[in-house]
Amino acid sequence: MKTRTEQEMLDLIITFAKKDHRIRGVLMNGSRVNPNIKKDIFQDYDIVYLVTDVEPFKDENFILSHFGEVMLMEKPEDKIFPPPIGDGRYTYLIQFMDGNRIDMHFIPINKADELIQDSLTRVLLDKDHNIPDIPPPSEQSYLT
């Protein structure tokens, strides 16, 4: 199985959001947006979908049918131990058969301001132009 390229994965991530009116924005954070880190095959995609309602996105069949063949998946909010964070988000940690990995979070749109405090965040899509402007990704919030 051929590994999908970064551009193919980003297109897939953004297309999923564009097709669903409940998804109002998409953020990517972590090492893939860090300008000081050389890209490697072990980096995952840390994706945040800002949604009007988290509940419909708990249907894993709906989610997985768009993203490809799964090798391994974990849903931390469905676990008993450790207990879920309980902040209204729903998360999928997915390893695909082609080697790509996505940590996919569905978070209510009203929490966008909290999420952009992380300096390693890039806006991929803002359907309503409501996500505040943020500076280019940097390691600033990780420096002591």
Side-chain angles (χ1 to χ4, degrees):
M1 173 176 277
K2 179 183 172 279
T3 301
R4 292 170 286 185
T5 66
E6 181 177 42
Q7 190 57 55
E8 288 172 319
M9 291 301 293
L10 291 173
D11 289 346
L12 189 65
I13 289 162
I14 293 169
T15 299
F16 178 71
K18 286 181 175 179
K19 288 181 176 180
D20 197 314
H21 69 278
R22 300 167 298 188
I23 300 173
R24 305 314 304 158
V26 183
L27 306 175
M28 183 163 68
N29 50 37
S31 65
R32 282 202 177 262
V33 299
N34 189 336
N36 299 322
I37 292 181
K38 184 179 175 189
K39 295 203 183 296
D40 64 52
I41 62 170
F42 301 107
Q43 288 177 309
D44 65 349
Y45 295 85
D46 294 303
I47 302 298
V48 176
Y49 286 107
L50 300 168
V51 300
T52 57
D53 182 15
V54 172
E55 199 61 34
F57 296 99
K58 293 180 180 180
D59 177 2
E60 73 182 58
N61 293 322
F62 170 70
I63 303 299
L64 300 180
S65 66
H66 181 79
F67 287 94
E69 191 177 358
V70 173
M71 176 188 302
L72 182 65
M73 177 178 64
E74 182 178 346
K75 299 182 291 183
E77 278 71 35
D78 287 349
K79 293 173 77 173
I80 295 171
F81 187 80
I85 295 171
D87 65 353
R89 74 179 61 204
Y90 197 79
T91 300
Y92 293 87
L93 308 174
I94 307 170
Q95 170 80 51
F96 295 97
M97 291 300 289
D98 73 350
N100 278 296
R101 293 182 307 124
I102 296 180
D103 292 353
M104 188 181 313
H105 309 277
F106 293 90
I107 298 178
I109 185 71
N110 62 358
K111 296 193 179 213
D113 288 340
E114 298 170 28
L115 300 169
I116 62 171
Q117 300 305 314
D118 183 338
S119 64
L120 286 177
T121 299
R122 187 172 90 194
V123 177
L124 298 182
L125 180 67
D126 181 3
K127 291 180 180 178
D128 305 315
H129 307 289
N130 287 336
I131 300 172
D133 287 335
I134 57 176
S138 74
E139 295 174 334
Q140 187 61 41
S141 37
Y142 296 88
L143 301 176
T144 55

